[in-house]
Amino acid sequence: SAVISQKPSRDICQRGTSLTIQCQVDSQVTMMFWYRQQPGQSLTLIATANQGSEATYESGFVIDKFPISRPNLTFSTLTVSNMSPEDSSIYLCSVEDRGYTFGSGTRLTVV
Amino acid sequence: AQSVTQLGSHVSVSEGALVLLRCNYSSSVPPYLFWYVQYPNQGLQLLLKYTSAATLVKGINGFEAEFKKSETSFHLTKPSAHMSDAAEYFCAVTSSYKLIFGSGTRLLVRP
């Protein structure tokens, strides 16, 4: 199955700033998915990223807050913009590869 | 839209006892179903998946799950719990191309 490298693994950020999270896959994949896991909660899909088109956002998530890039079939970034403490979560990327494979996650703390 | 419901946010068992984690799904089409495990401060690991082949699915670490269409269930079991099984377990279903998660069940294993 695919191997995903996600970074950074964790970060502590000041409110009002932005953080960009990167995911690199070791094979070409059509769709990449970005999830948020708030403290003690399950995973919620933020958006689906296809190469060459704009990401598709789920209800409650907007491009201005979570801009996504997908420049090629092995790479994607998620930016968390204008952060507030409520954005403190684990963010994970995922690909569908004979079962959905997940990156190790980015643990974000906003202070 | 497809969804899954996990009954019991916490399940506590004694070491050596049967593990049973419940998952019911709602789907208008034959579903693909998954169980994932998340150990503290780690990413998600796929335990097993059902993709309309055999109804009894065997996974890693001695876990298995049975797809029961009449009960719309996909419960996860393990005959004998180990201390190392203590973790958060998530049931998930595909909805179109997306993976939708249940709320999770935290498994506690008592010595």
Side-chain angles (χ1 to χ4, degrees):
Chain A
S1 58
V3 176
I4 302 175
S5 175
Q6 183 174 343
K7 58 182 181 182
S9 59
R10 59 178 64 232
D11 206 341
I12 301 173
C13 299
Q14 297 291 321
R15 68 177 66 200
T17 63
S18 297
L19 176 71
T20 295
I21 302 167
Q22 300 179 3
C23 270
Q24 179 75 51
V25 189
D26 68 345
S27 58
Q28 294 185 337
V29 293
T30 304
M31 289 184 286
M32 293 182 72
F33 306 93
W34 287 98
Y35 286 84
R36 181 177 72 182
Q37 186 178 24
Q38 295 177 297
Q41 302 295 314
S42 184
L43 285 81
T44 302
L45 182 63
I46 297 171
T48 303
N50 292 319
Q51 191 265 337
S53 63
E54 281 202 3
T56 302
Y57 289 83
E58 299 298 307
S59 176
F61 297 96
V62 295
I63 187 171
D64 290 346
K65 177 67 175 177
F66 299 101
I68 288 171
S69 78
R70 184 78 200 277
N72 57 53
L73 292 174
T74 64
F75 186 78
S76 180
T77 67
L78 169 76
T79 299
V80 186
S81 303
N82 188 25
M83 288 183 286
S84 65
E86 291 71 33
D87 295 318
S88 297
S89 297
I90 300 172
Y91 293 86
L92 302 101
C93 61
S94 174
V95 301
E96 196 286 318
D97 179 41
R98 292 174 292 175
Y100 291 73
T101 302
F102 285 81
S104 54
T106 297
R107 185 178 295 272
L108 171 62
T109 302
V110 184
V111 297
Chain B
Q2 281 81 319
S3 64
V4 290
T5 301
Q6 291 184 243
L7 300 176
S9 59
H10 292 79
V11 170
S12 180
V13 300
S14 297
E15 190 173 21
L18 171 71
V19 175
L20 171 61
L21 304 182
R22 300 178 185 274
C23 174
N24 288 88
Y25 69 90
S26 172
S27 177
S28 58
V29 298
Y32 285 8
L33 293 158
F34 304 79
W35 275 100
Y36 285 86
V37 61
Q38 185 177 37
Y39 298 101
N41 299 314
Q42 294 189 27
L44 269 73
Q45 182 179 14
L46 179 66
L47 280 175
L48 50 82
K49 61 182 179 180
Y50 168 76
T51 56
S52 73
T55 56
L56 182 62
V57 183
K58 295 187 181 299
I60 62 172
N61 301 339
F63 285 94
E64 64 182 35
E66 185 172 8
F67 175 74
K68 292 187 176 180
K69 184 177 180 179
S70 61
E71 300 177 8
T72 62
S73 68
F74 190 59
H75 302 331
L76 182 71
T77 61
K78 182 173 180 178
S80 176
H82 294 181
M83 296 297 294
S84 60
D85 293 327
E88 188 87 18
Y89 292 80
F90 294 97
C91 182
V93 65
T94 49
S95 177
S96 300
Y97 50 83
K98 300 177 286 188
L99 198 59
I100 307 300
F101 285 86
S103 55
T105 298
R106 182 169 298 276
L107 177 64
L108 308 171
V109 183
R110 304 185 302 270

